[in-house]
Amino acid sequence: LLEEPKPLADDQHRQTHIVVQHNYHDHSHDSRSWYQEEHPARGGVTTPFPLKLHEMLENAQVDGHEHIVSWQPHGRCFVVHKPKEFVELLPGYFKLSKLASFQRQLNLYGFQRLTRGRDRGGYYHELFLRNKVFLAHSIQRVKVKGTGVRARSNPDQEPDLWTMEWVATTDASTDASAST
């Protein structure tokens, strides 16, 4: 006869939690020529979420909405400063009207939330950098949905984006091609 496995003690359950992994690779010096910009749209989506998000952040600066949502000065993440006002901007860019739906899209595209430091509450993706929209074409939507278990934050492993070289305020590859 086989013995039934004994239930895990509470402290053993706590040790088996999934933890967010932050393995940041710096793509700020990648060349536009290394990337294929056009990816076929899937599921009837003409413009993928990351490209719409990039457009929204560019327009926020031009339209005077930086107090609502903006890139951080280093250009490696963005922060929603005023969630209630941000929800009013969403329908202009996405087929969304709820902050939770927006956050779900961020998660499905692999964006990570920062939980401490000057970027607290911000979101980053290593291929989502200010003025480097060509990188965002390579961000793929996660095919497999969640495990049903929310991963715990892992602040000790979060990248300190302020210590990295800041992303240029203009796209040098665009400037170089415009001058030739």
Side-chain angles (χ1 to χ4, degrees), residues 15-78:
Q15 294 174 359
T16 61
H17 286 287
I18 298 170
V19 177
V20 174
Q21 296 300 312
H22 298 273
N23 300 314
Y24 193 86
H25 176 79
D26 184 6
H27 289 275
S28 64
H29 297 291
D30 289 6
S31 168
R32 180 184 301 270
S33 63
W34 301 349
Y35 292 85
Q36 175 187 349
E37 287 205 28
E38 294 301 319
H39 290 281
R42 288 192 216 140
V45 177
T46 55
T47 306
F49 175 83
L51 300 180
K52 289 181 184 179
L53 179 57
H54 224 284
E55 179 185 359
M56 174 191 249
L57 289 165
E58 288 172 12
N59 290 345
Q61 183 177 11
V62 174
D63 297 341
H65 294 137
E66 282 187 302
H67 66 288
I68 299 170
V69 61
S70 69
W71 287 104
Q72 286 290 72
H74 49 68
R76 294 178 181 273
C77 79
F78 72 94

Side-chain angles (χ1 to χ4, degrees), residues 11 16 20 24 27 29-30 61 70-71 73 83 94 105 114 117 126 128 131 155 171 174 180:
D11 60 334
T16 61
V20 174
Y24 193 86
H27 289 275
H29 297 291
D30 289 6
Q61 183 177 11
S70 69
W71 287 104
F94 310 99
Q105 288 298 310
L114 296 160
E126 64 184 35
F128 194 77
N131 298 313
D171 184 356
T174 302
T180 54

